[in-house]
Amino acid sequence: MALPTRDAICKALEDSRNILDPKLAGYNTIDGIMGPEFYPGGFCLVFPVINGSDKYAFRVWYTEIDGIQDRLAKISAFLAAHKSKYFVEFDFVPNGLHVDSDDSVQDIPSVRMKWVDGKNLSTYLEYIINESGCDEATIKRCISRLAENFLLMVQELHRMNVSHGDLQHGNILVDDNQEIVLVDYDSVYVPTFNGELQITSGMSAYQ
């Protein structure tokens, strides 16, 4: 059965009771201009969901990709078993959203990711250089420390035998302490993929 359309998914999320992920019970979407606020991707939609001060990214696919569910389940299991400060909580839920549309009624897969507050890499560098008001020496120290943190992150990924697969600036978030957190795990490689064909890939210049 084909996945629901983007419009059908947005309509379903107007009622938070359609979210079937048990960990998101009591969470609600954020009102946007026309329905729930969301961020569109090439294959999925990302909805911020909140419960008080707690916030998650609720990701739902509207385009079918062969093998994607098995892939996401393996990434989820590996990251749960091998904790790293560079990856956020990431859980694949096979039947995470109930969608009742004119075309079909079905429960579709979703991913729950802990929401990260921070600037992406290019925005952070732009801020440090042009908006922070720091003198040149401080700017150089900030950029040097960020580069050192980036190197430490890459070294840990190597130790884990993990590749992010799409280390472009939008997927590298930097917090106020210059700590790095990675997001968007669709192209991540984990050791349990050994011998399998790659089915998704990030931006070609960053692989």
Side-chain angles (χ1 to χ4, degrees):
M1 181 182 294
L3 290 172
T5 64
R6 290 169 43 146
D7 288 345
I9 291 170
C10 289
K11 182 70 175 176
L13 277 158
E14 290 179 359
D15 186 344
S16 61
R17 292 174 297 182
N18 287 321
I19 299 176
L20 304 181
D21 180 344
K23 190 161 183 179
L24 293 181
Y27 284 74
N28 295 288
T29 56
I30 299 171
D31 290 336
I33 297 174
M34 298 179 64
E37 177 183 311
F38 69 92
Y39 301 91
F43 306 105
C44 69
L45 303 177
V46 181
F47 296 85
V49 293
I50 58 173
N51 185 355
S53 61
D54 207 20
K55 190 173 183 181
Y56 280 89
F58 184 66
R59 307 181 78 223
V60 188
W61 274 256
Y62 61 86
T63 300
E64 188 65 54
I65 304 173
D66 288 342
I68 191 65
Q69 294 192 43
D70 178 65
R71 178 184 179 85
L72 294 171
K74 286 179 178 177
I75 294 172
S76 175
F78 184 88
L79 294 181
H82 302 80
K83 300 294 186 182
S84 168
K85 68 177 183 178
Y86 301 110
F87 290 95
V88 300
E89 177 185 336
F90 177 90
D91 285 311
F92 172 70
V93 181
N95 301 298
L97 178 67
H98 178 74
V99 181
D100 187 348
S101 66
D102 294 336
D103 299 324
S104 65
V105 178
Q106 56 182 310
D107 297 339
I108 62 174
S110 67
V111 163
R112 180 186 70 254
M113 296 183 71
K114 193 69 176 177
W115 191 269
V116 179
D117 289 318
K119 296 179 175 66
N120 72 46
L121 182 59
S122 62
T123 301
Y124 183 82
L125 290 172
E126 179 75 20
Y127 168 77
I128 288 295
I129 295 169
N130 296 320
E131 301 175 30
S132 66
C134 296
D135 59 37
E136 184 175 347
T138 302
I139 290 172
K140 287 182 177 179
R141 284 196 298 272
C142 286
I143 293 176
S144 178
R145 183 184 175 199
L146 182 59
E148 291 171 357
N149 288 344
F150 189 93
L151 176 60
L152 291 172
M153 175 197 69
V154 172
Q155 290 172 338
E156 178 160 322
L157 295 185
H158 278 267
R159 285 194 294 270
M160 295 171 68
N161 291 316
V162 167
S163 171
H164 183 277
D166 193 14
L167 278 180
Q168 50 100 348
H169 56 82
N171 293 335
I172 303 168
L173 300 185
V174 184
D175 67 17
D176 292 337
N177 296 316
Q178 294 187 304
E179 295 296 331
I180 294 172
V181 179
L182 301 175
V183 295
D184 192 348
Y185 305 159
D186 294 348
S187 300
V188 163
Y189 169 87
V190 295
T192 44
F193 289 162
N194 189 31
E196 298 182 14
L197 292 175
Q198 184 176 6
I199 60 174
T200 61
S201 58
M203 297 174 66
S204 59
Y206 293 91
Q207 293 177 46

